[in-house]
Amino acid sequence: MQTNPTHTSLVAVGDSFTEGMSDLLPDGTYRGWADLLAGRMAARSPGFRYANLAVRGKLIGQIVEEQVPVAAAMGADVITLVGGLNDTLRPKCDMGRVKGLLTEAVERLAPSCKQLVLMRSPGRQGPVLERFRPRMEELFVCVEDLAARHGALVVDLYGAPSLSDPRMWDVDRLHLTAEGHRRVAEAVWQALGHDAEDAAWHTPMPATLPPGWAARRVADARFARQHLLPWIGRRLTGRSSGDGLPPKRPDLLPYAGPTV
């Protein structure tokens, strides 16, 4: 791996994780790890270009159909691909189909860029995750195999103790906080061969006293009302939170850095 390489362009492909939810900015838009990473890369490369094709709620089939051909045609130095996790969270999930579509995506993207980056997505501690963990881990085995076959990098966020900490996750329990996104950007930055700015990104946060029983019940009730029930409703009606939304940054254009 080249130390402190210079990349001139980045294209990010995926769902809400790559779009940047829940790293909310004052103007109501999302920043996220991909924007932070692009900002660092832009600081090293004048004229650096960045596109983010991610849309929240997208399944791997939609990513392959809507984003992969666009990303492949852009000819970027680096492409990041994170997808399939939304599929594993569905009550019915054909893992053979999911892995086949992920394979198709990698086979299209790997030859079209200088470096393809895949990830083992982070997972929050908690009882809900345990139900879906076998599917997630089956997906991650596929990610590792595809990376080995196609020369892609794999950033292991799933194995990072810091990112399993519930304090790194927003109240919806599905998306990372701003601090979580910062650590993901650092992880990808290092995987690309850059010197660490935070060598301890994977280290857990200092321990604190857990919230009491009453506070946990209030949080559980708020989560169910504001996030879980609407999520179930969308699943039952076949809708997605990303329906009708355009890609975050659809064109590969010069980028100075994320808005703070």
Side-chain angles (χ1 to χ4, degrees):
M1 177 65 65
Q2 179 184 354
T3 301
N4 290 321
T6 298
H7 298 111
T8 63
S9 52
L10 167 69
V11 175
V13 174
D15 51 33
S16 59
F17 173 68
T18 300
E19 184 184 345
M21 297 173 72
S22 291
D23 186 5
L24 190 64
L25 294 172
D27 64 359
T29 62
Y30 294 108
R31 182 174 52 182
W33 67 265
D35 285 13
L36 293 169
L37 175 66
R40 289 193 188 186
M41 297 169 77
R44 290 181 174 270
S45 178
F48 179 85
R49 296 175 300 150
Y50 169 51
N52 190 324
L53 307 179
V55 178
R56 69 197 70 172
K58 292 299 182 181
L59 302 173
I60 187 62
Q62 295 169 309
I63 291 172
V64 169
E65 179 180 356
E66 300 166 9
Q67 299 179 34
V68 167
V70 178
M74 286 180 169
D77 283 356
V78 178
I79 296 178
T80 65
L81 167 64
V82 187
L85 207 61
N86 282 332
D87 297 79
T88 69
L89 299 177
R90 296 292 177 108
K92 295 182 179 179
C93 174
D94 182 346
M95 286 303 299
R97 179 175 182 273
V98 170
K99 292 186 290 184
L101 287 165
L102 183 62
T103 299
E104 180 181 345
V106 170
E107 289 176 346
R108 290 284 303 277
L109 293 176
S112 73
C113 64
K114 293 181 180 178
Q115 184 61 69
L116 178 63
V117 179
L118 308 176
M119 299 186 198
R120 285 162 46 93
S121 305
R124 181 184 186 275
Q125 293 176 355
V128 175
L129 177 64
E130 295 307 314
R131 175 182 175 187
F132 302 104
R133 191 180 297 276
R135 292 179 182 173
M136 293 172 59
E137 294 183 347
E138 183 178 350
L139 179 68
F140 297 155
V141 169
C142 179
V143 167
E144 295 277 6
D145 179 62
L146 288 170
R149 284 160 42 196
H150 295 278
L153 295 175
V154 177
V155 183
D156 185 13
L157 306 173
Y158 184 70
S162 62
L163 295 177
S164 65
D165 189 325
R167 292 172 293 175
M168 287 286 180
W169 296 78
D170 193 37
V171 293
D172 66 2
R173 305 181 184 182
L174 285 174
H175 301 108
L176 292 168
T177 62
E179 174 60 15
H181 280 284
R182 184 196 69 78
R183 295 192 184 215
V184 172
E186 177 67 30
V188 182
W189 175 256
Q190 292 182 29
L192 286 170
H194 295 284
D195 292 337
E197 295 187 11
D198 176 11
W201 70 266
H202 57 283
T203 302
M205 296 172 63
T208 58
L209 289 175
W213 182 90
R216 294 198 304 272
R217 298 294 78 77
V218 169
D220 288 344
R222 181 179 62 173
F223 162 70
R225 181 177 65 256
Q226 295 182 357
H227 302 287
L228 181 60
L229 291 177
W231 183 84
I232 292 173
R234 290 194 297 271
R235 298 292 81 75
L236 293 176
T237 57
R239 294 177 292 116
S240 167
S241 57
D243 286 349
L245 294 180
K248 178 177 182 176
R249 186 179 169 88
D251 299 310
L252 189 61
L253 296 173
Y255 187 68
T259 304
V260 177

